[in-house]
Amino acid sequence: MQGRDRIDAMLASGQLERVPASREHADTLIAQAGRHVELARTGAETDPTGAYQLLYDASRKALASILENQGLRATSRGGHLAVLDAVTAQLDPPLGQSLRSFDRMRRRRNGAEYPRSDTPEITPDDVTHDMVKAEEFLTLATKVLDQMSPY
């Protein structure tokens, strides 16, 4: 399995934990992510910051669904970056380029969630731009769920 050494290291360091592999839970996360994208679409003009947070959560849940399907889950120690690291270890190559925008979205969302005085506000255009990325994460996760076996 591609990325096995990285996954084993993440398990050993406590960034990931083993859970029962569950396609049902993975599908639930995918469904939630899809609803988040739709809500973000309808709220982009009236509440771009809230819409962006939904897009980021949709992206995170889509990637986390891949791990849940395998019986893996990020811990509080690993956080959201552990989700990205674990999925990237297994899918890069060939899909690493598709995953790179997740960390940028995470940083942008964190800036909105914990703003400094010089943090630019999220605009409807930001939401529209990254909605495409969130939809790509959903498509990616949906495709690989059937291809990746439990860890």
Side-chain angles (χ1 to χ4, degrees), residues 74-105:
T75 65
S76 59
R77 179 182 198 144
H80 296 185
L81 278 179
V83 173
L84 176 62
D85 289 347
V87 172
T88 300
Q90 297 178 78
L91 298 178
D92 185 17
L95 302 175
Q97 189 64 35
S98 301
L99 298 171
R100 284 183 177 68
S101 58
F102 179 81
D103 190 46
R104 178 189 51 74
M105 289 175 69

Side-chain angles (χ1 to χ4, degrees), residues 37 40-45 48 51-52 55 104-105 122-135:
V37 169
R41 189 180 321 282
T42 61
E45 291 295 325
Y52 198 88
L55 284 182
R104 178 189 51 74
M105 289 175 69
I122 292 177
T123 68
D125 287 341
D126 295 327
V127 175
T128 300
H129 177 264
D130 281 337
M131 189 168 304
V132 173
K133 297 301 181 185
E135 289 169 336

Side-chain angles (χ1 to χ4, degrees), residues 5 10 15 48 77 115:
D5 290 345
M10 293 176 79
Q15 295 174 52
R77 179 182 198 144

Side-chain angles (χ1 to χ4, degrees), residues 8-144:
D8 287 343
M10 293 176 79
L11 285 164
S13 71
Q15 295 174 52
L16 292 177
E17 65 183 349
R18 291 183 190 276
V19 296
S22 175
R23 176 59 186 258
E24 182 179 344
H25 191 226
D27 288 340
T28 297
L29 290 172
I30 291 287
Q32 289 175 0
R35 289 191 299 272
H36 290 351
V37 169
E38 289 310 310
L39 280 171
R41 189 180 321 282
T42 61
E45 291 295 325
T46 57
D47 183 8
T49 299
Y52 198 88
Q53 291 169 339
L54 283 167
L55 284 182
Y56 172 73
D57 281 343
S59 302
R60 179 184 51 80
K61 287 179 179 182
L63 296 181
S65 74
I66 296 168
L67 301 178
E68 288 287 338
N69 190 54
Q70 295 179 287
L72 299 169
R73 182 178 300 154
T75 65
S76 59
R77 179 182 198 144
H80 296 185
L81 278 179
V83 173
L84 176 62
D85 289 347
V87 172
T88 300
Q90 297 178 78
L91 298 178
D92 185 17
L95 302 175
Q97 189 64 35
S98 301
L99 298 171
R100 284 183 177 68
S101 58
F102 179 81
D103 190 46
R104 178 189 51 74
M105 289 175 69
R106 182 189 65 79
R107 289 189 312 272
R108 184 74 168 113
R109 183 282 227 167
N110 285 352
E113 189 74 11
Y114 312 103
R116 297 187 337 225
S117 61
D118 61 344
T119 301
E121 282 198 37
I122 292 177
T123 68
D125 287 341
D126 295 327
V127 175
T128 300
H129 177 264
D130 281 337
M131 189 168 304
V132 173
K133 297 301 181 185
E135 289 169 336
E136 287 175 5
F137 291 130
L138 267 167
T139 299
L140 169 69
T142 302
K143 283 182 182 176
V144 302

